[in-house]
Amino acid sequence: MNRDLGELTAAQLLARAEANVRERRQAEVDQLLLVLAWCDRNGTDPQTGPGAVPVTWGGDRLVRLGGDGTPAVAELSIAELAIAFHAGEIGTQNLAAAALDLRHRLPSLWALVLDLRMPVWLARKIAVMARELDRGAVRLVDAAVAAAVQESPGRILRIAEAKVIEADLAAHQARVAEDAKKTGCWLSRPRPGEIIDPLGGGEAATRRFAAKLPAGAAVELDAAIDDLADALEAHLDRAEDAPHATRAQLRADALALLADPHAAARFLDGLHAPSPEPSPEPSPQPPTPPARRRKAVVHVHLSAAALAGVLPGVARVEGLGPFLLEQLAELLGRNDICLQPVLDLAGVTSVNAYEHPTVVRERAIQRMRGDVFPHSPNVGGVGGRFDLDHPTPYVPPARGGPPVRPATTTPLP
């Protein structure tokens, strides 16, 4: 590239930036093709050759790097390729596994990679996510991801993750059961010299506390900390010259207060207690504090296939990811549930106003899969942030998009 870019116009700079993206993607695709050619060259069993050294003595052998349906490769050949790539052997092995997965297990995704429509890093990540699926089940992931190629990388990964779960529910049930055993909480312990080390943060007054909890308990604890932080901000007296506490500091204060649950309960009960009135007779029993149950608004997303029982369903919990249906009981067990009415996303409701009525907004939120602005990471859903006014994706003029104004070359609305 010409390093003197100062003479280029703004349009030329943008064109050069776009061309760089394509050149970088093409270079990454060329590397995958080199890896595949090398794997094909070294696909013969080394033990069948004359004078082969036995494997027990350090001889070469065939190993399968990718998932079900990928060909085996001579194990020691990967080290040779790593040297040529100036890379580590493990990294090169992972690259070869992803390349083989894409070509032999995810043909639709592989075609998009070759066409430079799918970044190599994203395709590799999906290949790793789907590696444990058999060759038949992985087709579900391949078809769903290929259909979502125009979506943002985050949205594509969410789709791939849900489809991997749907393709083998039994395997995910085993993952859930295994991960459920790995709960715990930990308090940081400074090593000698770290308290006053300016490079290490110098945490002289604080310690870090981390926890790995069941999903339902974690959500409930997060909501409790939020509620308590709101109450602290509204009702605790602070000096006039004291700096305003940030949200993170308020949440930290709330968590610290929960270290004494009786004090936290007394504080919260005092906020809701009625004003004392004189009574001629003492109350025989102290008043029972009101139960604190939060409302959980449930949006159940059903496809026609899942509703008919043709395919198993995977629940999508916005902000938390895909869940098995049996996990929802644990997630919602301590909440008052408000089930939203059915919205037929195939229906159309016209409104002669700029504002979005609730029913129209809800349908648009559930129907839109994310912000349609090019490469926007904003996702759809109840908590999503995206533009409701412009639900139609942009199409460049080169692919039949909108015309341009003759005077300003600005696309027409």
Side-chain angles (χ1 to χ4, degrees):
M1 178 192 293
N2 181 7
R3 295 182 181 273
D4 187 12
L5 302 176
E7 298 180 358
L8 299 181
T9 65
Q12 290 172 329
L13 285 172
L14 292 176
R16 182 67 260 179
E18 189 174 10
N20 279 351
V21 173
R22 295 188 62 84
E23 291 169 4
R24 183 170 64 250
R25 287 191 180 183
Q26 186 62 61
E28 293 171 344
V29 170
D30 291 344
Q31 187 183 41
L32 288 181
L33 294 173
L34 282 171
V35 170
L36 290 171
W38 183 257
C39 291
D40 294 340
R41 182 72 59 87
N42 292 275
T44 305
D45 188 356
Q47 292 298 309
T48 61
V53 178
V55 175
T56 54
W57 292 1
D60 203 356
R61 60 176 179 174
L62 285 179
V63 294
R64 195 179 74 184
L65 304 177
D68 177 43
T70 58
V73 181
E75 184 175 25
L76 299 182
S77 68
I78 299 299
E80 297 179 82
L81 185 60
I83 294 173
F85 279 161
H86 294 197
E89 183 178 358
I90 299 300
T92 305
Q93 179 176 311
N94 293 336
L95 179 63
L100 292 168
D101 278 341
L102 289 170
R103 187 176 68 176
H104 294 275
R105 290 164 48 84
L106 300 161
S108 300
L109 186 55
W110 177 234
L112 294 172
V113 171
L114 293 177
D115 197 33
L116 306 184
R117 297 176 62 195
M118 173 74 70
V120 169
W121 72 267
L122 183 57
R124 288 184 59 183
K125 190 171 183 66
I126 295 169
V128 172
M129 292 167 61
R131 184 160 298 154
E132 298 303 319
L133 298 176
D134 62 44
R135 194 173 185 178
V138 79
R139 295 174 182 171
L140 179 66
V141 181
D142 187 40
V145 171
V149 65
Q150 299 293 344
E151 304 289 343
S152 67
R155 171 67 180 168
I156 291 174
L157 289 177
R158 290 184 184 92
I159 292 173
E161 184 178 44
K163 291 302 178 181
V164 168
I165 295 173
E166 182 181 332
D168 193 346
L169 287 178
H172 190 65
Q173 288 168 343
R175 289 189 206 101
V176 170
E178 182 64 26
D179 188 53
K181 303 174 185 177
K182 300 176 181 179
T183 57
C185 53
W186 303 270
L187 176 67
S188 66
R189 308 287 182 183
R191 288 177 293 206
E194 282 188 339
I195 289 180
I196 61 173
D197 180 12
L199 299 179
E203 297 175 341
T206 58
R207 295 293 179 271
R208 297 174 184 266
F209 187 83
K212 182 177 171 64
L213 304 173
V219 171
E220 187 74 14
L221 177 60
D222 182 70
I225 291 173
D226 259 346
D227 290 347
L228 193 51
D230 291 338
L232 289 173
E233 184 177 27
H235 297 281
L236 277 188
D237 295 330
R238 297 182 181 271
E240 293 183 359
D241 57 346
H244 183 73
T246 65
R247 186 64 185 175
Q249 290 171 332
L250 288 168
R251 283 174 54 86
D253 291 342
L255 183 58
L257 182 57
L258 288 176
D260 185 349
H262 297 291
R266 286 193 301 269
F267 172 71
L268 291 175
D269 291 341
L271 301 180
H272 304 287
S275 302
E277 297 181 358
S279 176
E281 298 180 1
S283 176
Q285 294 180 348
T288 302
R292 303 181 184 90
R293 290 175 64 87
R294 296 176 180 84
K295 178 183 290 186
V297 180
V298 178
H299 297 259
V300 180
H301 302 266
L302 285 175
S303 67
L307 188 61
V310 178
L311 293 175
V314 177
R316 184 177 79 243
V317 181
E318 292 169 3
L320 297 178
F323 272 62
L324 297 177
L325 296 182
E326 53 264 33
Q327 290 180 274
L328 291 181
E330 183 263 335
L331 183 65
L332 302 173
R334 287 177 283 184
N335 294 272
D336 292 327
I337 298 176
C338 174
L339 190 64
Q340 292 295 89
V342 173
L343 287 176
D344 182 6
L345 300 185
V348 177
T349 302
S350 61
V351 177
N352 188 20
Y354 179 78
E355 297 80 7
H356 292 80
T358 301
V359 64
V360 176
R361 178 180 177 83
E362 286 291 333
R363 179 177 281 109
I365 287 175
Q366 299 302 332
R367 185 165 49 198
M368 291 173 65
R369 295 175 291 179
D371 202 329
V372 299
F373 190 84
H375 316 298
S376 171
N378 293 338
V379 297
V382 175
R385 296 177 56 194
F386 54 94
D387 187 1
L388 283 170
D389 293 332
H390 304 95
T392 305
Y394 168 75
V395 179
R399 297 208 303 264
V404 297
R405 290 194 177 104
T408 63
T409 68
T410 301
L412 292 172

